Amino acid sequence: MHTQIEHGIKANLSQISQQLIQVFLVGLALGMTRTVVPGLAETEFGLAAQAFMSLVMFVLVFGLVKASMNLVAGHLSEHYGRRRLLVMGWLLALPVPFLTFYAQSWWWIVWAMVFLGLNQGLCWSMALNSKLDLAKTNQKGLINGLNEFSGYAAVGVAGWFTAYLAEVYGARDALLGFGLVVILVGLLLALWKVLDTRPWSNLHQQHHNQQHGDDGEQQTLAQAFKVGTFQHKQLVALNQAGLVEKFIDALVWIFMPIYLMSQTQTLVQASGIIAVYGVVWGASQLITGPASDKFGRRALIVGGFWLCALTSLTFVWVDSVAAWSVLAAFMGFGMAMLYPTLGAAVADYSQPKQRAGLLGVYRFWRDFGYAVGALFMGLLAFYTSSVVWPFYFVGGMMFLSGLWVYLALQPRKTV
């Protein structure tokens, strides 16, 4: 089937475009839960405004499931192929809109997040790995930027659009209709348009062997986890950074809608402010991804962490839509600085045949941050009876995590 293959965005533009469409649809599936689902907690299921631990449960479960799938997805894809896991991810998403539509209690929503986590862990991972397979080695930052632009711009758009649909048609009908369209389109395109990219991955490994005289033996899952979590100084720093940066996204997902609505903003108004964060995050990665290829990873990562720290700390100090929107934009830009750059930096320290596994370890710790962040923010909000303290907590953690990366990584350009 693949009589002649070569690497590069231009040479593989059709398939890379298909994979960008895939991650855009994956982002839409995630984004539809961003503001509507927290809004359902009180209006549909009677959760009191102070029921913080019940509220954070849906993000905590999502993070645990997605993190676990990320850990095994890379290794599974080496055995079964990227495309098969992509298709499986869309099939596993099918229960999500039905569970939210027919939900009798908040725990139905938590179960929907289990299936959404499975979908996100498989589909997002496979779409990124496939694009890295197709691209040249010196295009990793650009590919990560394109990938995260497509995905997180979709998250922002879907968050606002589903909030609008919820105002017009009702939350349950909006999630059912929007979710089914997105999932079925993703599944059909995965079946009919997407190719498996393992031949391109194998060619990367051949080139690596020729340049380095290294057979690039594939690691077991346990070996990859041990290296990335305990042994490799730079990978350990990048993995903790991945975990902590998800505190920002968990904050935006859980507490930002609640905080804004407590400040007399409607669901649509709150979702508009939050959409600014997602759209700026997504669009800016078209700049920051390629910039990290040219200028190196450390400055963008550290600067992004510290910008997010500042905006998280000051978000609760202002009280106007304009100020919240500006801070949301800066928060999104900070995420754009660090997010694709972290993934590209992990790829820098990974041999081609080990890349999927080590990226899987990174994505495990990154999305485990949803669970860790949700748990600590929930406990903090519970014991302080305030949604303000999670903003301060996340700001402090982002500063410290950025400092760790600053000390661990050398300010060098990528190879």
Side-chain angles (χ1 to χ4, degrees):
M1 185 176 180
H2 309 294
T3 56
Q4 184 178 5
I5 62 173
E6 58 179 310
H7 295 126
I9 294 175
K10 185 177 180 180
N12 299 288
L13 186 58
S14 175
Q15 274 302 297
I16 287 176
S17 298
Q18 286 295 330
Q19 294 291 349
L20 287 172
I21 293 171
Q22 285 291 315
V23 82
F24 182 82
L25 293 166
V26 175
L28 291 179
L30 177 61
M32 70 180 184
T33 69
R34 281 305 176 102
T35 50
V36 177
V37 169
L40 284 173
E42 186 172 2
T43 60
E44 295 281 335
F45 302 110
L47 287 187
Q50 303 297 314
F52 297 119
M53 293 311 297
S54 296
L55 181 62
V56 302
M57 188 61 66
F58 81 103
V59 175
L60 189 153
V61 168
F62 170 83
L64 288 175
V65 173
K66 189 181 179 212
S68 300
M69 288 310 302
N70 286 340
L71 186 61
V72 300
H75 285 270
L76 289 174
S77 70
E78 297 296 342
H79 294 287
Y80 301 107
R82 311 328 191 192
R83 181 176 172 273
R84 287 183 181 177
L85 293 189
L86 180 67
V87 171
M88 179 59 68
W90 284 119
L91 290 172
L92 288 168
L94 284 171
V96 174
F98 294 105
L99 284 168
T100 54
F101 183 77
Y102 291 108
Q104 301 297 308
S105 72
W106 184 246
W107 289 105
W108 286 55
I109 301 298
V110 174
W111 273 109
M113 292 302 104
V114 171
F115 287 100
L116 184 64
L118 293 170
N119 159 259
Q120 297 284 309
L122 289 174
C123 291
W124 204 303
S125 295
M126 292 308 100
L128 176 58
N129 283 342
S130 295
K131 287 190 285 292
L132 289 171
D133 292 340
L134 294 164
K136 294 179 180 178
T137 303
N138 63 357
Q139 295 174 327
K140 292 192 294 290
L142 175 57
I143 284 294
N144 275 274
L146 289 169
N147 187 76
E148 305 309 322
F149 156 72
S150 183
Y152 280 98
V155 169
V157 169
W160 174 83
F161 187 60
T162 52
Y164 169 76
L165 292 177
E167 291 282 332
V168 176
Y169 300 106
R172 293 174 186 256
D173 290 319
L175 292 175
L176 178 66
F178 185 85
L180 281 178
V181 169
V182 168
I183 293 165
L184 291 175
V185 171
L187 177 60
L188 292 174
L189 288 177
L191 286 169
W192 290 342
K193 294 293 186 179
V194 172
L195 299 177
D196 191 84
T197 58
R198 276 189 297 177
W200 285 266
S201 177
N202 293 337
L203 183 60
H204 270 304
Q205 186 63 48
Q206 293 173 19
H207 291 166
H208 179 88
N209 294 347
Q210 292 168 3
Q211 293 173 9
H212 299 280
D214 189 340
D215 64 0
E217 285 298 321
Q218 186 173 330
Q219 295 172 315
T220 65
L221 178 59
Q223 289 171 333
F225 189 84
K226 185 176 181 181
V227 168
T229 305
F230 302 111
Q231 295 181 338
H232 195 293
K233 175 184 175 182
Q234 287 77 25
L235 288 177
V236 171
L238 294 169
N239 285 334
Q240 70 78 28
L243 183 143
V244 174
E245 60 88 5
K246 280 300 181 189
F247 290 10
I248 283 281
D249 212 34
L251 178 74
V252 172
W253 196 351
I254 306 168
F255 287 105
M256 192 175 286
I258 297 172
Y259 175 76
L260 289 172
M261 286 188 283
S262 75
Q263 303 298 306
T264 71
Q265 300 299 299
T266 67
L267 180 64
V268 174
Q269 289 171 329
S271 68
I273 295 168
I274 293 168
V276 171
Y277 156 82
V279 171
V280 171
W281 178 4
S284 299
Q285 288 175 106
L286 292 174
I287 301 170
T288 58
S292 76
D293 287 332
K294 185 175 183 180
F295 301 111
R297 317 294 191 201
R298 189 178 78 161
L300 281 169
I301 294 172
V302 176
F305 267 89
W306 290 349
L307 180 57
C308 285
L310 180 63
T311 54
S312 179
L313 290 169
T314 56
F315 194 86
V316 292
W317 296 355
V318 299
D319 59 359
S320 71
V321 171
W324 286 320
S325 298
V326 169
L327 288 173
F330 277 111
M331 186 179 289
F333 188 72
M335 289 294 282
M337 291 171 68
L338 67 91
Y339 200 81
T341 315
L342 282 170
V346 172
D348 290 339
Y349 293 106
S350 310
Q351 293 186 27
K353 203 168 186 178
Q354 300 168 351
R355 182 183 299 142
L358 288 172
L359 280 171
V361 173
Y362 163 72
R363 285 194 290 268
F364 166 80
W365 285 116
R366 184 194 67 192
D367 289 317
F368 191 59
Y370 277 126
V372 175
L375 177 62
F376 278 100
M377 283 185 276
L379 289 171
L380 188 60
F382 175 77
Y383 283 110
T384 62
S385 298
S386 170
V387 297
V388 171
W389 280 102
F391 287 84
Y392 295 149
F393 167 74
V394 171
M397 292 302 298
M398 290 294 286
F399 176 79
L400 292 174
S401 183
L403 181 61
W404 187 339
V405 174
Y406 178 83
L407 296 173
L409 266 62
Q410 295 300 313
R412 62 180 178 86
K413 288 174 65 174
T414 59
V415 178

